[in-house]
Amino acid sequence: MTKPIILNAAELPEWTRAELNTHFSVLELPKQPDDAAAFLREHGRTIRGIALRKTKIDTAFLDLVPELEVISSYSAGLDNVDVAAVKARGIKIENTSHILAEDVANTALLLALAVTRDLVEADRFVRAGAWTEKAAFPLGRSLSKMKVGIVGFGTIGSAVARRLQALGSTVSYFGPNRKPVDLPYFDDVTRLAADSDMLILACPLSDATHHLVDARVIDALGPQGYIVNIARGPVIDEQALVAAFAADKLAGAALDVFEHEPSVPEAFIQDRRLVLAPHIGSGTEETRRGMAEHVVDALARHFGIAGPRPNA
């Protein structure tokens, strides 16, 4: 039986690539854009599936793969994919949001606690020998006593909410649609910010959410407010955030993602009120393996191939 031809347009672990080669005829997309376009013009009509990570999928790309049936993305976010164009052509999209949700939610909680309890500075305080009988570390804020607004209430946002509720936080949320949950819903992010002590960003990046958190939202959150971002960097207007800290309009922020990562504004690096992480939301061995496995499994299911994890 002829194996389905798929395109590997992702940097994946070697064992994942080996699994793909076991079940499919795999074409490797060249990394240089000009080479990739030429490659697709030659081979694109044979491609029925794509293993995806960061490669941009737009209408020009889709025009070169007219027999494409399914895209299996390693990431949760699909901001590199023209989703409307893909769906209009009847192409199935699979991503890994349900796999990475728990660890990303754990990271959100980690960052929320770190910024409200000033954990990074507390570590430095001890290491510097500043902890003495006469020198106590400054008091932090209680996340359990806070009103926390979650921006985006999909798989990840709801996982964040469960953790916050277990701590005793008062949780509400913003999104394009009300969800079947017993939590206050806001259809305007500025009003959510005005009603919250902290905003946790867990929404996908799209035209609608690009710079969603701008100067107006930051002002509504207020000088005692906090922001945690485990979504995508451009959801926040970084220049507005820099300006807000310069004017003491926020108490703190904890950011796992940045607008132009891996570049981080020098103002963030120098400001002790920010906790910074290098996009590690899903960064555990277990979750990253599960994400890679799902890339293979989703393609195998689509083509009716018995894979190594039939119950995955």
Side-chain angles (χ1 to χ4, degrees), residues 181-289:
V181 294
D182 188 21
L183 292 172
Y185 168 68
F186 288 77
D187 61 4
D188 181 272
V189 71
T190 305
R191 291 198 300 110
L192 175 67
D195 191 64
S196 301
D197 302 303
M198 173 185 285
L199 289 182
I200 296 182
L201 312 183
C203 57
L205 177 62
S206 66
D207 290 342
T209 62
H210 184 270
H211 285 187
L212 177 66
V213 177
D214 56 12
R216 192 166 61 114
V217 174
I218 293 170
D219 286 346
L221 187 57
Q224 299 302 310
Y226 295 87
I227 294 174
V228 173
N229 191 6
I230 44 88
R232 286 289 187 266
V235 172
I236 299 179
D237 180 344
E238 276 192 356
Q239 292 308 306
L241 192 58
V242 168
F245 278 109
D248 294 326
K249 290 185 175 181
L250 278 175
L255 310 174
D256 185 45
V257 290
F258 302 88
E259 190 161 5
H260 304 292
E261 60 186 52
S263 177
V264 178
E266 185 64 23
F268 290 175
I269 293 172
Q270 297 300 326
D271 196 326
R272 65 180 295 276
R273 293 171 294 182
L274 285 90
V275 175
L276 311 175
H279 202 150
I280 58 170
S282 63
T284 67
E285 293 180 5
E286 295 85 353
T287 287
R288 290 291 173 87
R289 184 172 184 92

Side-chain angles (χ1 to χ4, degrees), residues 84-100:
V86 168
K87 289 185 175 180
R89 299 180 189 219
I91 299 166
K92 185 178 182 180
I93 306 176
E94 293 266 4
N95 69 354
T96 57
S97 60
H98 61 294
I99 292 172
L100 56 75

Side-chain angles (χ1 to χ4, degrees), residues 3 40 48 58 62 75 104 114 122 152 165-166 171 199 208 213 229 232 239 247 265 269 271 274 301 310:
K3 295 179 180 179
L40 290 174
R48 297 175 61 195
D58 55 14
L62 293 171
S75 302
V104 175
Q165 288 178 299
V171 180
L199 289 182
V213 177
N229 191 6
R232 286 289 187 266
Q239 292 308 306
I269 293 172
D271 196 326
L274 285 90
R301 282 195 300 271

